[in-house]
């Protein structure tokens, strides 16, 4: 019994000992607990899988679309370590494909998913060799216990060396060991060349030092060379011509560098500012796919190979960081328009522009300091450019967008539009600087008026364009008044010289037939006798009967005037078809009439308000048009001496003549009657007819008094309210800026065409309150205008990029279209944001594979370097591209052994064998560097 009890007790004690041995870790060492913690974490990550890890907080890596990282903290005694697991959603990709974005360790060792364990310290690396070995052993044991085949790496040495050691259990009898290190300076000359690197790799598996010289080893090689074009920074432009430019600048009074060429000299905005080239340069990656090398001699030959022999060319643009920067320090139309909008916001604080010129009205010292005006020399130069260098009549339709007319501003080449664009760059575009420029500008305009000099950049003929802003209309009318004033002065001088021929030099431009001005001596086409009515008022009927072709020449008309029956006709433009006068059987002749008096928009509105104030709009409108009607009636009487009031109505307003039946026009006497409004008692038209004398147009007083109208225009310009001026300036400046950018040649980029159309539509809707004078101080519309500036800034950036790319790839349109389209998709999410809201965390990284016919275009960008360039160094690497050595050389050497090799043909545990035809990458070495640094990563597969 005792023995039995003792035996049972012994069995129970043994069971307790077994339970304690497997489950109770309280008595184990700290190193064993550390291994257990690593094992538990790896088991959990392996069981979760990539999709569940994403839900548990795995972080996406910015440089790769498919790589993620999850992190865990581990503690061993007094030290805390960080273990990171790097994994991908899709692990089917080829690691050797260098076109994809890889983690540094993936590139170095050819692995896919891996672990990195490092201490949580300032350096983040293990500085002690025994500690690193112990740490790596712990990870290897933990991964073996949980049957994980992940490679594990530990950073060692100094952080600048980027050194790692690592290990991986291959799951069979093989183990891979990793080691990477870097030389940061003084790279041995031997390792700068491919031959030396090849010998370095062979030395890792050759038994004797001389083996690689006498024995041919079958080594696989892949190589990637990266070239970079010269920087396109403005401060680096023209380095090769620096001495010549400095000598030239010494000869110039202002020390300027006027002969220097910028990349955007042929762009439309270059007249106003020089934009930073958004494309700083290009990186060209040339890739040689895997090939077999058997000797050092082959490596020496490969070093002399041209990059054109590479299988792939991958192009990556290096864009300026300011292109999508949130700093808001970019200079362009958008930045200056922001300042103009701020000036508009301040313009409500004064009654006249002169009030902003004085320092006494500026308020605080900070406001005064921010509104410094340029020196008089700058002011004189701006006025000279505005007035003295623009005397020729510009083409207002040049470069105009189809929707530009919807913005009530001034045409791009007009005087006021040029004034607005100059204002953007005058000083800091403050309200004070604008006021100084405006006051001097109006003074110059008055000088042109008083001296009867043609007004620059404004047409002196034609009608007033009411679709433009009021100031542009005023300037256009002033230009016409100056021209009329000059004509009157010339006629007065002619009268003093010869009283016998007063009308010999009369200009025919003051008379017209219908809507078109024409010369009587050259009349040979259809006309209807219409004049260009300045205003179509309610109650008027502007339709008139058409006149048959008047094909007679000047001699026929002259003889008609001098015939027996028509001896009293003067100023006749010819018969109106077969129409006859009521009181005689004479033909009804259309007279030459004066041009209708020109009116600007405010004059039209004044007349409309006057008409609306009276009930009898017909009779009152006739009084407003009295001078024009009297002139037309006098000319009609002179051309038709026997005419009656009814004849004038039949010609001038045929809708007011009611025919009896459907008689033809050639029947006489014409049968019909006046309409009710024309035949009523006290009709104002008949009264004007009775008072009108018989005078041809060339003997009448001009309807337009240029002296009176000119002085009224100058009074308006001198007394215009600041906010009214700034409202028109903002509209015109936006329109002129957009029209200038629209002239950019960006090729066939449909995205830019669409964005420009959208910009004009947004501008038209946003600027509409300014066109209707609906803006007030502290209005929320100011915020809308600032947002419009942001929209313009986005379009301006894209246009600058499009112009730069097209300039560089005009012979390879597919390249610039592909680069721009990719950047457009990258930048599009930020198009609706302000500069402060732009997300700049993600970088634009395009890798475009070039076609064979595009390689030469890119090759030409690598201009041969000159001797005086500061960055030039002694060439120490091969594979030159137009004299440029690679900025980075990456090589992967590998050696493979098949199952037939004795070392790897040994039977594995469990009786399994390797396939005789299966190859194992036994040695792999990744080399990355330049002539100044070298990084080597070695991977060795061993049999355990």
């Amino acid at each position: 019994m005792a023995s039995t009890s003792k035996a049972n007790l012994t069995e129970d004690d043994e069971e307790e000992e077994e339970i304690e041995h497997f489950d109770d870790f309280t008595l184990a060492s700290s190193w064993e607990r550390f291994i257990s913690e690593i094992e538990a974490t790896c088991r959990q990550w392996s069981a979760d899988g990539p999709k569940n890890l994403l839900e548990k907080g795995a972080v996406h890596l910015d440089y790769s679309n498919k790589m993620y990282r999850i992190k865990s903290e581990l503690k061993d005694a007094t030290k805390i370590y960080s273990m990171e697991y790097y994994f991908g959603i899709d692990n089917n990709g080829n690691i050797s494909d260098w076109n994809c974005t890889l983690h540094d360790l993936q590139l170095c060792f050819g692995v896919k998913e891996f672990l990195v364990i490092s201490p949580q310290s300032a350096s983040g690396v293990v500085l002690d060799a025994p500690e690193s070995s112990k740490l790596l052993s712990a990870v290897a044991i933990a991964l073996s216990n949980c049957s994980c085949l992940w490679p594990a790496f530990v950073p060692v040495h100094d952080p600048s060396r980027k050194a790692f050691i690592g290990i991986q259990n291959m799951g069979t009898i093989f183990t891979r060991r990793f080691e990477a290190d870097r030389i940061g300076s003084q790279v041995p000359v031997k390792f700068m060349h491919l031959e030396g690197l090849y010998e370095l790799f062979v030395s890792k598996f050759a038994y004797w030092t001389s083996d690689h010289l006498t024995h041919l080893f079958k080594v696989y090689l892949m190589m990637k060379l990266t070239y970079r074009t010269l920087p396109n920074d403005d401060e680096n432009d023209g380095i090769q011509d620096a001495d010549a430019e400095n000598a030239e600048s010494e000869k110039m009074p202002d020390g300027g560098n006027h002969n220097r060429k910028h990349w955007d000299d042929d762009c439309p905005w270059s007249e106003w500012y020089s934009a930073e080239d958004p494309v700083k340069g290009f990186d060209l990656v040339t890739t040689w796919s895997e090939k077999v090398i058997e000797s050092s001699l082959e490596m020496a030959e490969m070093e002399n190979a041209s990059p054109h022999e590479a299988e792939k060319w991958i192009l990556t643009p290096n864009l300026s960081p300011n292109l999508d920067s949130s700093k808001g320090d970019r200079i362009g139309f958008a930045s200056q328009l922001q300042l103009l909008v701020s000036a508009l916001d301040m313009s409500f604080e004064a009654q006249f522009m002169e009030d902003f010129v004085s320092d006494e009205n500026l308020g605080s010292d900070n406001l005064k300091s921010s509104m410094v005006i340029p020196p008089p020399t700058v002011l004189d130069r701006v006025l000279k450019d505005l007035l003295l260098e623009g005397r020729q009549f510009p083409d207002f339709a040049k470069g105009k967008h189809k929707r530009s007319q919807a913005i009530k501003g001034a045409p791009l080449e007009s005087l006021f539009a040029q004034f607005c664009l100059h204002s953007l760059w005058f000083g800091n575009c403050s309200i004070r600087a604008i006021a100084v420029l405006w006051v001097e500008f109006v003074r110059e305009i008055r000088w042109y008026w008083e001296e009867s000099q043609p007004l620059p950049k404004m047409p002196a003929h034609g009608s007033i364009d009411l679709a433009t802003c009021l100031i542009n209309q005023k300037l256009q009318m002033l230009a016409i008044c100056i021209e009329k004033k000059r004509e009157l002065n010339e006629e007065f001088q002619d009268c003093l010289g010869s009283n016998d021929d007063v009308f010999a030099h009369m200009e025919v431009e003051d008379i017209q037939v219908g809507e078109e001005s024409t010369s009587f001596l050259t009349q040979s086409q259809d006309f209807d006798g219409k004049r260009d009515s300045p205003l179509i008022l309610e109650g008027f009927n502007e339709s008139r009967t058409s006149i048959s072709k008047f094909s007679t020449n000047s001699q026929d008309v002259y003889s008609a005037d001098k015939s027996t029956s028509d001896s009293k006709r003067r100023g006749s433009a010819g018969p109106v078809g077969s129409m006859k006068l009521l009181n005689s059987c004479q033909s009804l002749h259309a007279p030459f009439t004066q041009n209708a008096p020109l009116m600007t928009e405010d004059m039209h509105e004044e007349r409309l308000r006057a008409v609306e104030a009276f009930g009898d709009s017909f009779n009152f409108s006739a009084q407003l048009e009295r001078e024009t009607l009297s002139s037309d009636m006098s000319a009609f009487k002179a051309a038709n001496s026997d005419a009656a009031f009814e004849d004038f109505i039949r010609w001038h307003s045929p809708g007011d003549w009611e025919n009896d039946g459907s008689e033809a026009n050639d029947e006489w006497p014409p049968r019909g009657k006046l309409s009710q409004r024309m035949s009523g008692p006290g009709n104002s038209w008949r009264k004007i007819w009775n008072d009108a004398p018989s005078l041809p147009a060339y003997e009448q007083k001009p309807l337009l008094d240029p002296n009176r109208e000119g002085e009224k225009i100058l009074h308006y310009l001198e007394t215009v309210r600041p906010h009214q001026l700034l409202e028109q300036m903002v509209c015109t400046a936006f329109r002129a800026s957009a029209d200038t950018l629209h002239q950019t040649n960006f090729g066939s980029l449909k995205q830019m065409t669409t964005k420009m159309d959208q910009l004009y539509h947004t501008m038209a809707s946003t600027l509409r309150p300014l066109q209707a004078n609906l803006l007030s101080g502290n209005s929320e519309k100011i915020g809308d205008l600032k947002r419009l500036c942001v929209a313009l800034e986005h379009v301006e950036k894209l246009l600058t990029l499009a112009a730069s790319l097209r300039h560089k790839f005009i012979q390879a349109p597919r390249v610039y279209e592909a680069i721009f389209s990719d950047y457009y998709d990258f930048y599009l999410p930020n198009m609706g944001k302000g500069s402060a809201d732009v997300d700049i965390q993600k970088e634009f990284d395009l890798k475009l594979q070039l076609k064979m016919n595009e390689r030469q275009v890119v090759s030409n960008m690598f201009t041969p370097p000159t001797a005086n360039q500061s960055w030039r160094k002694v060439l120490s690497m091969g594979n030159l591209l137009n004299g440029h050595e690679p900025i980075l050389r990456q090589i992967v050497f590998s050696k493979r052994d098949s199952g037939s090799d004795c070392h790897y043909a040994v039977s594995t545990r469990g009786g399994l064998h390797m396939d005789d035809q299966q190859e194992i990458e036994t040695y792999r070495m990744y080399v990355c560097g330049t002539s100044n640094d070298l990084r080597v990563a070695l991977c060795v597969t061993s049999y355990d």
Side-chain angles (χ1 to χ4, degrees):
M1 292 289 294
S3 60
T4 304
S5 301
K6 185 177 182 179
N8 293 337
L9 181 61
T10 303
E11 292 177 359
D12 293 341
D13 292 342
E14 289 178 353
E15 289 178 2
E16 287 183 6
E17 289 178 2
E18 289 180 3
I19 293 174
E20 291 176 359
H21 177 74
F22 288 102
D23 296 331
D24 188 9
F25 294 98
T26 58
L27 302 178
S29 66
S30 61
W31 186 65
E32 290 175 330
R33 290 195 297 270
F34 182 60
I35 294 175
S36 177
E37 190 175 355
I38 296 175
E39 180 182 343
T41 303
C42 292
R43 286 183 184 275
Q44 185 64 48
W45 286 346
S46 179
D48 288 339
K51 294 184 178 179
N52 291 330
L53 290 178
L54 294 181
E55 297 177 358
K56 291 186 176 182
V59 179
H60 177 256
L61 302 182
D62 293 335
Y63 55 81
S64 176
N65 294 328
K66 299 180 180 179
M67 286 296 295
Y68 294 85
R69 178 188 64 194
I70 192 167
K71 183 178 180 181
S72 177
E73 290 186 359
L74 307 172
K75 186 175 182 180
D76 178 26
T78 60
K79 289 190 176 182
I80 300 177
Y81 294 91
S82 173
M83 186 170 67
E84 297 174 328
Y85 172 46
Y86 292 82
F87 64 95
I89 298 299
D90 181 14
N91 285 326
N92 297 324
N94 187 6
I95 295 299
S96 62
D97 184 7
W98 282 347
N99 293 335
C100 63
T101 54
L102 300 175
H103 188 275
D104 179 62
L105 294 179
Q106 289 179 311
L107 197 59
C108 286
F109 301 113
V111 297
K112 293 184 179 179
E113 49 186 354
F114 56 91
L115 295 175
V116 175
I117 186 166
S118 59
Q120 290 190 352
S121 60
S123 63
V125 299
V126 180
L127 302 178
D128 182 55
E131 180 187 357
S132 62
S133 299
K134 179 181 178 181
L135 189 61
L136 195 61
S137 299
V139 176
I141 295 173
L143 290 175
S144 179
N145 291 340
C146 62
S147 301
C148 285
L149 304 182
W150 301 334
F153 300 98
V154 175
V156 295
H157 306 310
D158 186 81
S160 62
R161 292 171 60 176
K162 298 181 180 179
F164 287 87
I165 59 173
I167 193 170
Q168 179 184 16
N169 180 11
M170 302 292 290
T172 56
I173 59 175
F174 300 108
T175 301
R176 297 175 72 186
R177 289 177 172 83
F178 310 97
E179 185 176 359
D181 208 341
R182 173 178 175 267
I183 302 176
S185 61
Q186 297 181 354
V187 178
V189 176
K190 179 180 180 181
F191 296 145
M192 296 180 186
H193 301 281
L194 296 181
E195 184 178 0
L197 295 174
Y198 170 79
E199 294 175 356
L200 175 64
F201 176 66
V202 173
S203 67
K204 299 301 178 180
F205 55 84
Y207 293 109
W208 301 100
T209 308
S210 59
D211 278 1
H212 59 82
L213 299 176
T214 59
H215 184 72
L216 298 179
F217 295 98
K218 189 177 180 181
V219 174
Y220 295 91
L221 168 77
M222 291 188 300
M223 184 170 67
K224 181 171 71 172
L225 303 178
T226 303
Y227 301 85
R228 179 167 295 170
T229 58
L230 298 179
N232 290 332
D233 295 334
D234 291 339
E235 61 269 17
N236 294 325
D237 288 345
I239 294 178
Q240 60 269 27
D241 299 326
D243 296 337
E245 290 182 349
N246 291 336
E248 184 68 21
S249 63
E250 291 176 358
K251 299 178 183 179
M252 297 180 182
D254 56 355
N257 208 355
H258 299 292
N259 291 331
R260 182 171 175 177
K261 297 294 183 181
H262 293 273
W263 75 272
D264 60 347
D265 281 346
D266 58 346
C267 294
W269 62 76
S270 61
E271 180 183 356
W272 305 104
Y273 66 94
S274 180
E276 177 192 12
D277 193 345
V279 183
K280 292 302 181 182
F282 295 90
D283 285 351
L284 174 64
V285 177
T286 60
T287 305
W288 277 264
S289 61
E290 189 174 75
K291 60 186 304 183
V292 178
I293 302 296
E294 295 185 348
S295 66
S296 300
L297 182 60
E298 293 184 34
M299 293 299 297
E301 293 177 353
M302 190 171 183
E303 186 169 317
N304 295 324
S306 170
H308 288 274
E309 299 177 13
E311 291 190 1
K312 292 182 180 180
W313 277 29
I314 308 296
L315 188 69
T316 300
N318 298 323
L319 303 183
S320 169
N322 295 329
L323 189 60
D324 53 357
S325 173
S326 61
K327 296 179 181 179
D329 54 356
R330 174 185 171 87
I331 301 299
F333 284 126
S335 63
Q336 302 308 113
L337 285 169
Q338 287 269 16
L339 301 176
L340 185 61
V341 171
S342 299
L344 170 62
D345 195 19
M346 294 186 61
S347 64
F348 295 90
E349 299 178 3
Q351 293 294 319
F352 301 99
M353 292 302 293
E354 287 84 354
D355 297 338
F356 291 107
V357 177
S358 175
D359 291 338
E360 299 176 357
N361 300 322
L362 294 180
S364 65
D365 294 336
N366 292 333
L367 189 60
K368 294 178 182 179
S369 61
S370 64
M371 293 190 176
V372 178
I373 60 175
T377 55
V378 177
L379 178 60
D380 293 341
R381 186 168 65 248
V382 170
L383 293 175
K384 178 181 178 182
D385 183 70
L386 267 173
L387 301 170
L388 298 182
E389 298 180 359
R391 291 184 174 273
Q392 293 185 351
F393 176 64
D395 182 11
F396 287 166
K398 179 182 177 182
K400 186 175 70 172
H401 191 271
K402 59 184 179 181
R403 297 186 179 180
S404 179
Q405 199 74 10
I407 303 171
K408 199 176 182 66
L412 174 60
E413 299 296 330
S414 66
L415 181 58
F416 185 61
Q418 293 297 303
F419 169 84
C420 293
L421 290 178
H422 275 287
S423 299
L424 295 178
W425 311 98
F426 186 72
N428 55 358
C429 195
S430 63
I431 186 64
R432 186 186 183 195
I434 294 173
V436 170
L437 184 59
W438 175 256
V439 170
E440 293 299 323
F441 174 73
V442 174
R443 287 177 184 173
E444 293 294 328
I445 296 298
R446 176 168 284 281
W447 179 88
Y448 278 91
W449 164 251
E450 293 175 350
E451 298 296 328
S452 299
Q453 295 297 316
L455 196 60
K457 300 177 183 176
M458 293 303 298
H461 305 281
S463 59
I464 304 298
D465 187 0
L466 300 180
T468 62
C469 63
L470 183 58
I471 292 181
N472 183 74
Q473 298 176 39
K474 295 289 186 181
L475 292 175
Q476 185 180 357
M477 189 167 183
L478 182 63
I480 296 174
C481 290
I482 292 175
E483 184 65 22
K484 297 296 183 183
K485 183 179 177 183
R486 293 181 61 201
E487 292 175 359
L488 292 177
N489 292 339
E490 291 175 0
E491 292 171 4
F492 179 73
Q493 295 297 329
D494 292 340
C495 289
L496 294 179
S498 175
N499 292 327
D500 297 333
D501 192 10
V502 177
F503 303 106
H505 301 286
M506 286 287 290
E507 292 290 334
V508 191
E509 295 174 355
D510 291 339
I511 55 179
Q512 69 173 13
V513 178
E515 293 180 350
E516 298 180 358
S517 297
T518 180
S519 173
F520 172 72
L521 299 178
T522 59
Q523 176 69 25
S524 60
Q525 58 185 4
D526 293 342
F527 65 94
D528 60 1
K530 282 186 179 181
R531 61 177 178 80
D532 187 10
S533 176
L535 181 64
I536 299 178
L537 297 174
E538 184 181 355
F540 274 66
N541 189 336
E542 294 298 323
S543 62
R544 300 183 184 177
T545 55
S546 60
I547 306 175
S548 63
K549 276 192 176 181
F550 179 56
S551 58
T552 58
N553 55 29
S554 59
Q555 294 180 354
D556 295 334
V557 176
Y558 181 81
S559 61
D561 273 343
K562 295 303 180 182
S563 64
T564 304
S565 58
D566 298 333
S567 58
K568 296 182 180 180
R569 294 188 189 278
R570 292 182 300 166
S572 170
V576 182
S578 59
M579 293 180 66
K580 304 293 184 181
L581 298 176
L582 290 173
N583 297 334
S584 64
C585 197
Q586 300 295 324
S587 296
L588 189 151
H589 282 237
F592 286 112
T593 59
Q594 291 194 63
N595 284 327
L598 299 175
M599 289 190 294
T600 56
E601 184 179 30
D602 57 338
M603 298 169 66
H604 282 291
E605 293 175 352
E606 183 180 354
R607 289 203 170 193
L608 284 173
R609 287 193 296 267
V611 170
E612 292 173 357
F614 290 85
D616 189 359
S617 61
F618 172 72
N619 288 328
F620 183 74
S621 60
Q623 295 298 323
L624 291 177
E625 299 287 338
R626 181 182 182 87
E627 292 183 358
T628 304
L629 278 175
S630 178
S631 174
D632 290 350
M633 291 175 177
S634 295
F636 188 82
K637 286 183 177 181
N640 303 276
S641 56
D642 296 333
F645 175 67
E646 289 77 3
D647 294 319
F648 177 77
I649 295 300
R650 291 167 59 210
W651 167 72
H652 189 277
S653 183
D656 287 309
W657 177 258
E658 300 175 358
N659 288 318
D660 293 343
S662 58
E663 296 99 350
N665 290 332
D666 56 353
E667 292 186 2
W668 188 86
R671 286 182 286 182
K673 63 178 181 179
L674 293 173
S675 64
Q676 181 178 358
R677 68 171 187 170
M678 286 295 180
S679 59
N683 181 268
S684 57
W685 282 48
R686 184 177 291 276
K687 183 177 180 180
I688 297 173
W689 170 266
N690 295 333
D691 296 339
S694 176
L695 288 175
Y698 55 80
E699 294 183 6
Q700 297 175 13
K701 177 184 177 181
L703 293 176
L704 176 65
D705 185 351
N707 292 292
R708 180 185 62 187
E709 296 299 332
E711 288 296 337
K712 289 170 63 177
I713 293 171
L714 287 170
H715 177 74
Y716 169 81
L717 298 177
E718 291 169 346
T719 60
V720 62
R721 294 291 184 262
H723 71 91
Q724 294 177 350
L725 171 62
L726 267 295
E727 287 172 359
Q728 298 180 63
M729 285 184 63
V730 168
C731 291
T732 300
F734 269 104
R735 171 176 169 175
S737 300
D739 286 345
T740 301
L741 295 174
H742 174 64
Q743 298 177 17
T744 305
N745 191 347
F746 50 79
S748 57
L749 298 176
K750 296 182 180 179
Q751 301 97 324
M752 280 314 313
T753 302
T754 302
K755 293 308 298 182
M756 288 302 299
D757 291 343
Q758 293 175 354
L759 175 64
Y760 275 97
H761 178 76
T762 305
M763 288 170 55
S765 60
T766 305
L767 298 175
R768 191 168 293 116
L770 276 70
Q771 301 170 11
N773 295 324
L774 299 178
L775 199 65
S776 60
N778 298 323
S779 173
E780 62 179 9
K781 298 299 181 182
I782 296 296
D784 295 338
L785 293 175
K786 292 183 178 180
R787 285 186 287 272
L788 180 61
C789 293
V790 174
L792 179 63
E793 180 184 11
H794 291 314
V795 175
E796 193 173 10
K797 288 180 180 179
L798 292 176
L799 268 177
T800 307
L801 177 62
S804 178
L805 290 174
R806 185 181 183 277
H807 178 75
K808 294 173 175 61
F809 295 103
I810 191 170
Q811 296 180 348
R814 187 194 73 89
V815 177
Y816 81 78
E817 289 176 1
I819 295 176
F820 180 83
S821 297
D822 199 80
Y823 183 81
Y824 181 84
D825 295 337
F826 165 79
Y827 190 72
L828 188 61
N830 296 326
M831 291 289 284
K833 301 178 181 179
S835 298
D837 301 327
V838 173
D839 181 14
I840 60 172
Q841 299 299 323
K842 184 179 179 182
E843 295 183 356
F844 175 70
D845 185 22
L846 168 69
K847 292 177 172 57
L848 178 66
Q849 183 171 344
L850 300 176
K851 298 181 179 179
M852 292 300 297
N853 60 346
E854 298 166 344
R855 291 190 177 187
Q856 189 58 46
V857 177
V858 176
S859 178
N860 293 337
M861 295 182 178
F862 291 86
T863 56
T866 57
N868 64 339
Q869 288 177 327
S870 59
W871 59 267
R872 177 78 180 253
K873 58 180 179 291
V874 178
L875 298 178
S876 55
M877 303 169 65
N879 305 111
L880 302 182
L881 177 59
N882 295 343
H884 295 257
E885 69 178 7
I887 64 168
L888 183 65
R889 178 169 58 189
Q890 296 170 277
I891 305 174
V892 174
F893 294 102
S894 62
K895 184 178 181 298
R896 301 168 190 167
D897 291 297
S898 63
S900 59
D901 294 340
C902 58
H903 186 175
Y904 297 97
V906 181
S907 298
T908 64
R909 287 187 292 263
L912 297 177
H913 299 273
M914 280 188 55
D915 189 349
D916 289 345
Q917 303 300 323
Q918 181 181 356
E919 287 189 334
I920 295 179
E921 188 180 64
T922 54
Y923 291 89
R924 183 185 189 275
M925 188 174 77
Y926 170 77
V927 180
C928 174
T930 65
S931 59
N932 295 324
D933 65 90
L934 180 67
R935 188 182 187 194
V936 178
L938 181 64
C939 171
V940 179
T941 303
S942 61
Y943 171 77
D944 294 337

